[in-house]
């Protein structure tokens, strides 16, 4: 018990000391000042928290139910998996900076944008780990199901669902803070109540105590949700599921089939985009169709200027995106391995890691930029923070799912913990690591665009915010498409690296 509270207490003491040391900088509020602010404004904070929490919970439920249904369909009908992955990726890659205002126009005043953005923020972070987990099934279990004449649906419900449970838990734990972030972004677009509304007020008034109080409250809620999900999972899952791993009963696709699937997915996305706007009868003034963008980018008199603006913003974004993404991946995987080798660090490192990611980036970005500046260090740090937590949680679950028989054999030969980590645990972790790496591609782009929008004034995030404020919807939609393509290309590159790596270390994961 003493060890469990010692780390957080030391962190609080260091925080209090630093706040008093840099009091003249007006960027860091002390824990004592935050506590006083929360006590003095308990009613205001409770009302705002209630509104945001309700919207986040609704989005969390809707998004995760959608993810579970999509994963079940993809496994039960393997031919649909590529299409489901493609559509889910495209929707997830839509930048919140731009989709928020569009949803506000569609839904009008009310809670529609908040719940929708919360659902969009969580469904993909659950879908990808769940798909990995649904494959993490001992092959003899599937053979047993087939020997009784049962089909894919029985295997899915009776075997794969149980084996995927730890991965589902990891996805839900990552999704909890993401739902809160989505609800707050929705409130940024013109809501009347909620923590996002208060955050705007705090930033506008440069109220440091209020900003840190909102961040602390949001962090406490996210940490509580994370711990509650983990507690519920431990109560349900009384023993570790066996791992690893069986190949799904699907044939490996040829390059021609893969190209055909990509082409069909592209056509389907364009059809849904075009048909959806027409079905909703949205004005072409702000709801741009594909032909509008072709005209703006290639046929209009100012098309060259539009392309130059997009290219310049893209270059500014990429400069910070890659270092932040890689730093977050390395930090997350490195800390997970450190906790496996030194479990005593978990009491201190795990709560801090959860808290670090649980602070919504909406409130983190201005504070980190104030402390570290508007240059490379502040931007890269924020991207790394966004990438770090999903990687850390996924890798920790992956390392703990190493086959017990293999580790027992290594120990019987007096292998060191480092040798067991290198030869058994890291190969077992790789599928979860790459799942996190793929999830983090759009998450890192979300982080960099939010930072550009709120703090630096450069790159695609600032361009989208400026275009929305000037009602330049051709530029806004073009930036949205470019940002989405950037996420899809990054996702595809990670997939290629994953495939080559798993061929060597976990070939059973390749369909």
């Amino acid at each position: 018990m003493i060890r469990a509270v010692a780390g957080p207490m030391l962190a609080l003491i260091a925080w209090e000391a630093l706040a008093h040391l840099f009091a003249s900088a007006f960027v860091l509020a002390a824990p004592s000042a935050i506590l006083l602010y929360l006590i003095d404004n308990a009613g205001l904070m409770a009302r705002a928290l209630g509104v945001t929490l309700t919207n986040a919970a609704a989005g969390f439920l809707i998004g995760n139910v959608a993810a579970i249904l999509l994963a079940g369909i993809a496994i039960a009908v393997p031919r649909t998996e590529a299409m489901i992955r493609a559509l889910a990726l495209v929707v997830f890659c839509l930048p919140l900076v731009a989709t928020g205002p569009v949803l506000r126009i569609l839904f009008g005043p009310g809670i529609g944008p908040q719940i929708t953005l919360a659902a969009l923020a969580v469904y993909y972070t659950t879908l990808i780990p769940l798909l990995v987990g649904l494959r993490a099934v001992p092959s003899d279990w599937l053979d047993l199901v087939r020997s009784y004449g049962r089909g894919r649906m029985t295997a899915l419900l009776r075997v794969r669902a149980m084996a995927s449970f730890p991965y589902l838990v990891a996805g839900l734990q990552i999704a909890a803070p993401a739902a809160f972030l989505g609800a707050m972004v929705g409130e940024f677009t013109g809501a009347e109540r909620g923590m996002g509304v208060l955050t705007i007020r705090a930033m506008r008034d440069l109220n440091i105590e209020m900003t840190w109080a909102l961040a602390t409250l949001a962090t406490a809620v996210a940490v509580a949700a994370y711990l509650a999900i983990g507690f519920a999972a431990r109560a349900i899952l009384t023993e570790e599921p066996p791992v690893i791993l069986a190949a799904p009963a699907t044939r490996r696709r040829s390059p021609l089939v893969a190209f055909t699937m990509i082409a069909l997915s592209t056509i389907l996305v364009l059809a849904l985009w075009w048909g959806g706007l027409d079905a909703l009868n949205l004005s072409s003034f702000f709801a741009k169709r594909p032909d509008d963008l072709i005209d703006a980018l290639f046929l209009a008199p100012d098309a060259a200027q539009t392309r130059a603006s997009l290219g310049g913003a893209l270059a500014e974004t990429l400069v910070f995106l890659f270092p932040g993404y890689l730093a977050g991946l390395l930090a997350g995987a490195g800390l997970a391995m450190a906790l496996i080798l030194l479990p005593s660090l978990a009491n201190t490192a795990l709560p801090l890691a959860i808290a670090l990611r649980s602070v919504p980036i909406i409130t983190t970005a201005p504070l980190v930029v104030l402390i570290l500046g508007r240059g490379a260090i502040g931007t890269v740090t924020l991207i790394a923070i966004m990438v770090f937590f999903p990687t850390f949680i996924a890798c920790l679950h992956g390392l703990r799912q190493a086959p017990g028989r293999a580790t027992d054999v290594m120990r019987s030969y007096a292998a060191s913990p480092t040798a067991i980590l290198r030869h058994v645990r890291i190969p077992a972790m790789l599928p979860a690591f790459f799942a996190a790496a793929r999830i983090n591609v759009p998450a890192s782009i979300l982080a960099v665009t939010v930072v550009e929008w709120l703090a630096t004034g450069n790159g695609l995030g600032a361009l989208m915010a400026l275009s929305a404020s000037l009602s330049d919807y051709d530029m806004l939609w073009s930036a949205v498409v470019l940002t989405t393509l950037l996420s899809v290309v990054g996702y595809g590159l990670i997939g290629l690296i994953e495939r080559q790596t798993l061929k060597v270390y976990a070939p059973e994961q390749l369909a």
Side-chain angles (χ1 to χ4, degrees):
M1 182 64 183
I2 295 176
R3 288 184 178 180
V5 300
M9 287 302 297
L10 287 175
L12 282 176
I13 293 171
W15 180 0
E16 183 81 24
L18 286 173
H20 290 289
L21 186 63
F22 296 102
S24 59
F26 297 104
V27 296
L28 187 61
S32 57
I34 295 171
L35 182 60
L36 285 175
Y37 184 91
L38 289 173
I39 293 173
D40 292 340
N41 300 275
L44 174 67
M45 288 293 176
R47 289 192 295 274
L49 177 62
V51 172
T52 304
L53 197 57
T54 302
N55 296 333
F60 181 83
L61 179 63
I62 294 170
N64 283 304
V65 168
I68 293 170
L69 290 176
L70 289 173
I73 294 171
I75 295 297
V77 189
R79 291 183 184 279
T80 65
E81 181 175 348
M83 195 72 69
I84 288 174
R85 280 178 178 269
L87 289 176
L89 175 63
V90 169
V91 174
F92 185 65
C93 290
L94 294 174
L96 296 181
V97 177
T99 51
V102 173
L103 289 173
R104 181 59 64 190
I105 293 172
L106 291 176
F107 285 100
I111 60 175
Q114 292 91 304
I115 294 177
T116 303
L117 287 176
L120 290 176
V122 304
Y123 81 96
Y124 200 72
T125 59
T126 301
L127 175 65
I128 295 303
L130 187 55
L131 283 173
V132 173
L134 288 169
R135 289 198 176 100
V137 182
S139 57
D140 51 352
W141 286 21
L142 296 179
D143 294 339
L144 182 63
V145 171
R146 281 193 287 269
S147 70
Y148 278 91
R150 302 296 184 179
R152 287 199 184 99
M153 188 57 66
T154 301
L156 173 64
L157 298 178
R158 301 295 179 86
V159 178
R160 294 188 185 276
M162 285 301 298
S164 69
F165 194 73
Y167 297 83
L168 174 62
V169 171
L172 294 177
Q173 287 180 311
I174 295 170
F180 212 81
L181 169 64
M184 289 185 69
V185 171
E187 290 166 355
F188 264 48
T189 62
E192 297 179 353
R193 293 182 293 274
M195 294 187 65
V197 177
L198 293 185
T199 302
I200 295 175
R201 186 195 304 176
M203 289 191 296
R204 187 181 56 213
D205 298 340
L206 295 178
N207 189 332
I208 299 301
E209 283 79 12
M210 186 176 183
T211 303
W212 280 92
L214 289 165
T216 303
L217 201 56
T219 302
V221 171
V223 170
Y226 176 92
L227 296 177
I229 292 169
F231 179 79
R234 286 191 294 275
I236 296 172
L237 193 66
T238 55
E239 57 185 44
E240 292 290 331
V243 180
I244 290 184
L245 304 163
T250 56
R251 293 176 297 177
R252 189 164 296 180
R253 292 189 294 270
S254 68
L256 179 60
V257 172
F259 176 79
T260 304
M261 292 302 296
I262 293 173
L264 289 175
S265 300
T266 304
I267 293 171
L268 182 59
V269 168
L270 291 174
L272 289 174
W273 174 7
W274 215 322
L277 295 182
D278 286 343
L280 294 171
N281 195 27
L282 297 178
S283 167
S284 60
F285 173 71
F286 69 87
K288 299 297 181 183
R289 278 72 172 173
D291 59 328
D292 295 324
L293 299 193
I294 292 173
D295 183 72
L297 291 172
F298 301 104
L299 303 177
D302 60 347
Q305 184 179 351
T306 302
R307 294 198 302 271
S309 298
L310 285 169
L314 176 62
E316 291 172 342
T317 297
L318 292 179
V319 167
F320 301 113
L321 180 62
F322 290 132
Y325 176 76
L326 293 176
L329 286 183
L330 293 175
L335 181 60
M337 292 180 201
L339 293 188
I340 291 297
L341 293 175
L342 302 169
S344 59
L345 289 178
N347 290 332
T348 300
L350 195 56
L352 292 178
I354 298 169
L356 188 64
R357 176 59 180 86
S358 300
V359 180
I361 193 173
I362 294 294
T363 55
T364 312
L367 295 172
V368 173
V369 170
L370 277 173
I371 296 171
L372 300 178
R374 296 175 182 272
I377 296 177
T379 306
V380 168
T381 300
L382 276 166
I383 300 169
I385 289 173
M386 195 77 174
V387 171
F388 161 77
F389 183 71
T391 308
F392 168 63
I393 294 301
C395 289
L396 196 59
H397 279 273
L399 289 167
R400 288 173 174 169
Q401 295 304 313
R405 293 175 186 172
T407 56
D408 291 342
V409 170
M410 293 284 288
R411 289 194 184 99
S412 70
Y413 282 95
S416 67
T418 306
I420 296 175
L421 175 70
R422 187 169 64 251
H423 295 293
V424 178
R425 293 193 184 280
I426 290 179
M429 178 197 78
L430 286 175
F433 171 79
F434 280 108
R438 278 184 273 126
I439 290 172
N440 281 323
V441 171
S444 61
I445 293 174
L446 164 67
V448 72
T449 53
V450 168
V451 174
E452 291 167 344
W453 168 37
L454 293 177
T456 67
N458 299 318
L460 288 170
L463 181 64
M464 285 187 281
L466 179 64
S467 302
S469 64
L470 297 176
S471 300
D472 185 356
Y473 292 108
D474 282 332
M475 180 65 81
L476 176 62
W477 282 79
S478 299
V480 170
V481 171
L482 182 60
T483 306
T484 305
L485 286 176
L486 180 62
S487 297
V488 172
V489 170
Y491 185 94
L493 289 175
I494 295 297
L496 289 176
I497 297 171
E498 176 187 21
R499 198 167 189 83
Q500 296 304 316
T501 305
L502 294 187
K503 277 182 181 178
V504 177
Y505 293 103
E508 65 279 349
Q509 275 285 316
L510 299 175

